[in-house]
Amino acid sequence: MNKHRYTAAAVMLSLSMLTGVAAADYSDLKPHWAEQAMEFAVQSNLMDGISEYTFAADAPATRACLVQALYRMEHAPAADTVLTFQDVAEDASFLTAVRWGVSNGIITGYSDTVFRPGTSLTREQFAVMLYRFAEYKKLDVTAQNALSGYTDASSIHPYAQTAMQWANAVGLITGTTATTLSPQRTVSRAQLATILQRFAPMVSYQQRETDAPKPPQTHSYTAFTTKLGDVTRSETEQDLTEVHRATRRYTDGQGCAVEMGHSAAVLDAPAHTAAQFEMKGMSGTVRWYDTAASSWKQQPLAAGTLPSGMYFLRVDGVDSILVTPMTYAARDNGMIEYFPGKNGSLKIERTASGFRFSVQVAALTQGTYSDYLLLTSQQTLIDWSDQSMLSRWANYSLIGTNRWCYNGYYYTAPSTYYPFDENYFYSLPAAHIAGKMANDTDQPASRAIGLAMIDLMREQQNEYGFIPSQAGSTWLKTDYGIEPGYYDTRFNTDFWLANINAAENFGVTGWLDKTRKYADFLVSFAGQHHFTFGAGDDEGWLVQDYWHPNGESSPTHASLNHHAAEAEFLYRMADAVNEDSYAVLADRMVRGIEQSELLWYKPDGDLNYSCKPDGTCSGQDYPYLTYNDLLELQRLYAARHGQENPAIARLLQVKLTWMNKNGVTGYNK
């Protein structure tokens, strides 16, 4: 394939034909797994919204939309081919694009008189148009994947076979799972934007040698206020020849600064330094947690290079924490693929006054990006003699199953999620470590990192009030018809509980506005998606666990751990904003547990995992999660009502007996 030298800024500028609409004008771009790609498509004028303020990310992409995007990518050349299509109006905004596409063999009509501009695109049709455009641009299209690893490759129509093989080989269209390509699946507008973003560098004009990189652009503002003062958030972006760099920095009044760095390769890029910082002092130590040995390691600071890891640096009593750059690529449904062989490193140098640390990004291939996390301070952050702190920070690892990237929190993907492959991670609304850090009132590092993470994750709240789970779940799809972008009650409730904890522990009361929005959504959701036990004053509800706003899914089960956590959140929310209506629903949910109590007991002495709308309960419960949830729910119930709930007490005793019998540890006392 032809490779041209260009900057991401040059791509933006060369594609841009100002329309007066900016990405920020569309209210539905954020939060979304493809928001960066959609912003690129809008800012580059490759795509428009469907109305003045609506982009419609999840709506199907149409034939007219794609041909217009490719036409604009070609800088909208003149085209006066006479069309005979009766369904393309003379005043249609895409008229000239269709003329250009037809005259250059990019797209054809269904007949001499029918074009069908509003017909949605399938993945194989998309590949064909991209392939034809690549040929038109005289790009190298010889790269071919056999597609033999995909079980549905035989369903690709013959006319699209070569195009799909090429699109897959160059990474434009990947599998929807490790073994399926889904050639007839409809392409959404978000997916169209994502693939256009991947495709644009392949067809970009050559960068002129006289073009200088644009200077960094920085925007700063007060992100939130704690009881210790304001926290400032600064955003900096810069386009260099091979990479687009972005840095986000949270700075508080206690000398802590949390920096999130992002280097995205718009062209194959050499290894480079993403950030540098210095610590003054004559001696220091570096610590890290060795997961293989389940123990902490430390060594004196010395000049040299440390491999990828999460490092705790101390020089003369001042601490910094660094998660070195790790490299990923965006995949469908908000998934990212991790490349272990492309990890960054930490370079250490001695200076006259102390140590200089350089955050090193490995060489990147086009389309990949590398992210790091850095906390610098002017104080001692962690008491290494405190065993509870050691345990917590061993658990707070961000280089294993948990990852923090520039756009949010990720967790290693289970095989039941799609698309799935080795080293895939999915966007996790719960942001587990951030939630745990929100309770660490004795650790400045937890306060700084945890609050920064929560602030960014809050931006993913959608118009309904919840943070959608973007990855597909095969069992939710099979059992209930739930597509990607669904509501997971547990993940969301855990995250918004963390917001309440941040408000109470750190004084971030401004976060209760969006937390209330979620609470109001949960109240509405519970009213529409529950099944009832009992009647009259004794009526209780069990609230279903999952839902998709497209309205096409079936009612789901209610698991005891989800249900207890939701009631816990509602009691906490009632106290946080002094609004008893939330507690009224929590009481009704507790009555649901009371009325269904006998259904939860299993013959082996454990509890069932979930109950279905027909009243049947089954499934293997978690070892201790449900116990911890019920224990906290009991505490909150007793605080509000002056006495414990007998049904919850019995469920707790049964679960505790089972845990002790089976040697389960780790539960709350």
Side-chain angles (χ1 to χ4, degrees):
M1 176 167 295
N2 294 337
K3 289 187 176 180
H4 304 290
R5 295 186 60 80
Y6 65 100
T7 66
V11 175
M12 290 290 215
L13 292 173
S14 65
L15 294 175
S16 178
M17 300 187 324
L18 297 179
T19 62
V21 179
D25 293 329
Y26 297 120
S27 61
D28 59 344
L29 285 188
K30 294 182 178 182
H32 196 280
W33 64 266
E35 65 181 63
Q36 292 181 348
M38 292 186 291
E39 287 176 351
F40 167 84
V42 171
Q43 291 167 359
S44 302
N45 196 39
L46 297 181
M47 295 180 68
D48 302 320
I50 63 170
S51 68
E52 185 176 2
Y53 298 110
T54 304
F55 185 82
D58 299 316
T62 65
R63 285 162 49 83
C65 183
L66 177 54
V67 72
Q68 188 170 52
L70 296 178
Y71 173 67
R72 291 176 176 181
M73 193 175 285
E74 185 56 9
H75 304 296
D80 55 7
T81 301
V82 176
L83 298 179
T84 58
F85 302 131
Q86 297 178 0
D87 54 355
V88 177
E90 285 298 317
D91 60 351
S93 61
F94 49 82
L95 173 65
T96 307
V98 173
R99 286 174 171 167
W100 165 84
V102 170
S103 64
N104 289 284
I106 309 298
I107 194 169
T108 60
Y110 282 82
S111 71
D112 291 341
T113 58
V114 177
F115 180 74
R116 296 182 185 173
T119 298
S120 57
L121 284 165
T122 64
R123 285 161 59 84
E124 67 176 11
Q125 291 168 344
F126 195 176
V128 168
M129 289 182 66
L130 293 177
Y131 181 81
R132 291 171 179 168
F133 185 73
E135 287 187 311
Y136 164 79
K137 294 291 291 181
K138 295 181 171 53
L139 300 182
D140 182 359
V141 292
T142 58
Q144 299 284 304
N145 277 351
L147 306 181
S148 56
Y150 297 108
T151 58
D152 57 353
S154 61
S155 65
I156 300 172
H157 289 97
Y159 80 91
Q161 190 73 37
T162 300
M164 284 293 280
Q165 289 173 336
W166 166 78
N168 185 255
V170 297
L172 290 175
I173 297 180
T174 57
T176 53
T177 71
T179 58
T180 57
L181 200 53
S182 305
Q184 276 77 52
R185 179 178 292 183
T186 299
V187 177
S188 71
R189 287 170 54 82
Q191 291 165 340
L192 170 58
T194 300
I195 297 175
L196 287 174
Q197 186 182 39
R198 296 172 186 169
F199 191 44
M202 302 180 187
V203 298
S204 174
Y205 290 108
Q206 184 171 351
Q207 163 75 8
R208 297 192 307 271
E209 295 298 328
T210 56
D211 286 351
K214 292 182 66 176
Q217 302 294 312
T218 301
H219 173 59
S220 299
Y221 57 94
T222 298
F224 54 89
T225 300
T226 73
K227 59 187 177 184
L228 297 176
D230 292 343
V231 176
T232 300
R233 174 171 162 174
S234 298
E235 308 270 357
T236 301
E237 297 197 32
Q238 185 178 25
D239 291 304
L240 302 174
T241 302
E242 291 93 0
V243 297
H244 172 77
R245 291 180 54 184
T247 305
R248 181 181 296 113
R249 189 177 180 88
Y250 289 88
T251 307
D252 64 25
Q254 288 67 54
C256 290
V258 177
E259 182 173 301
M260 306 169 187
H262 176 75
S263 295
V266 292
L267 194 68
D268 289 352
H272 61 278
T273 299
Q276 283 189 335
F277 61 102
E278 295 191 4
M279 300 177 70
K280 294 183 178 181
M282 300 313 296
S283 63
T285 58
V286 55
R287 290 178 171 87
W288 68 94
Y289 186 72
D290 186 335
T291 54
S294 298
S295 64
W296 282 94
K297 307 290 186 181
Q298 74 174 69
Q299 66 185 40
L301 275 176
T305 300
L306 295 175
S308 174
M310 183 172 179
Y311 295 112
F312 299 78
L313 308 167
R314 175 168 292 175
V315 178
D316 283 5
V318 174
D319 286 345
S320 294
I321 301 173
L322 171 67
V323 180
T324 56
M326 289 182 281
T327 300
Y328 306 92
R331 300 297 181 234
D332 289 340
N333 296 342
M335 290 283 198
I336 59 174
E337 181 179 4
Y338 166 55
F339 298 95
K342 294 291 186 178
N343 284 330
S345 59
L346 173 63
K347 181 181 178 181
I348 305 172
E349 300 171 281
R350 289 300 304 256
T351 67
S353 59
F355 296 87
R356 179 183 299 113
F357 301 92
S358 299
V359 181
Q360 302 291 314
V361 173
L364 301 176
T365 55
Q366 179 182 313
T368 64
Y369 62 89
S370 196
D371 291 353
Y372 68 87
L373 178 69
L374 170 64
L375 167 61
T376 56
S377 78
Q378 300 172 14
Q379 60 185 297
T380 299
L381 299 176
I382 299 174
D383 181 359
W384 293 104
S385 66
D386 185 335
Q387 290 301 312
S388 69
M389 283 195 181
L390 293 180
S391 297
R392 275 179 276 177
W393 281 101
N395 181 253
Y396 293 169
S397 172
L398 292 169
I399 58 175
T401 55
N402 297 275
R403 299 294 172 91
W404 180 257
C405 294
Y406 192 74
N407 65 340
Y409 197 94
Y410 289 81
Y411 196 82
T412 186
S415 59
T416 55
Y417 279 19
Y418 63 88
F420 175 79
D421 207 341
E422 185 180 7
N423 296 319
Y424 271 37
F425 287 75
Y426 71 97
S427 178
L428 176 60
H432 292 316
I433 289 178
K436 293 174 182 177
M437 287 181 171
N439 273 324
D440 286 351
T441 56
D442 57 344
Q443 293 192 59
S446 290
R447 181 196 70 236
I449 295 176
L451 295 185
M453 288 180 173
I454 293 173
D455 181 67
L456 187 64
M457 289 296 297
R458 284 164 50 85
E459 295 177 358
Q460 296 184 22
Q461 185 179 43
N462 64 15
E463 66 274 20
Y464 295 96
F466 67 90
I467 299 176
S469 292
Q470 299 293 352
S473 167
T474 54
W475 70 270
L476 284 177
K477 172 67 173 175
T478 300
D479 292 356
Y480 303 114
I482 293 179
E483 299 281 359
Y486 59 89
Y487 169 48
D488 183 313
T489 58
R490 181 74 206 225
F491 286 165
N492 274 267
T493 297
D494 283 351
F495 177 73
W496 296 105
L497 269 170
N499 280 252
I500 296 177
N501 291 334
E504 294 182 357
N505 295 332
F506 301 113
V508 196
T509 56
W511 282 356
L512 292 177
D513 55 351
K514 286 192 173 185
T515 311
R516 184 192 286 270
K517 182 176 181 179
Y518 172 68
D520 291 341
F521 167 76
L522 177 57
V523 170
S524 175
F525 173 81
Q528 300 175 57
H529 302 279
H530 68 269
F531 32 102
T532 304
F533 291 84
D537 293 339
D538 293 328
E539 180 182 290
W541 291 354
L542 292 184
V543 178
Q544 296 157 26
D545 286 356
Y546 306 98
W547 171 75
H548 198 289
N550 64 12
E552 298 175 0
S553 56
S554 303
T556 75
H557 60 257
S559 60
L560 191 53
N561 77 85
H562 281 234
H563 190 79
E566 292 157 44
E568 173 193 341
F569 167 78
L570 290 165
Y571 281 136
R572 292 283 308 279
M573 192 64 192
D575 293 337
V577 299
N578 194 28
E579 178 54 68
D580 283 343
S581 62
Y582 298 125
V584 170
L585 174 56
D587 286 342
R588 179 166 287 177
M589 294 173 70
V590 170
R591 288 198 298 274
I593 296 175
E594 293 173 341
Q595 295 293 335
S596 63
E597 177 190 351
L598 297 180
L599 299 175
W600 295 106
Y601 299 124
K602 295 179 67 173
D604 65 357
D606 197 5
L607 300 179
N608 281 305
Y609 169 72
S610 65
C611 277
K612 296 180 180 178
D614 63 5
T616 60
C617 295
S618 62
Q620 182 63 50
D621 192 32
Y622 289 103
Y624 61 82
L625 176 66
T626 304
Y627 179 85
N628 289 346
D629 293 329
L630 290 172
L631 191 66
E632 177 64 8
L633 178 59
Q634 183 75 294
R635 183 188 71 79
L636 293 167
Y637 182 91
R640 178 161 285 269
H641 294 283
Q643 61 183 2
E644 292 189 342
N645 183 277
I648 295 177
R650 289 188 290 269
L651 287 164
L652 282 167
Q653 185 57 53
V654 168
K655 187 67 179 183
L656 180 62
T657 300
W658 180 88
M659 291 190 302
N660 289 335
K661 179 181 177 180
N662 289 273
V664 175
T665 59
Y667 57 87
N668 295 334
K669 303 296 185 180

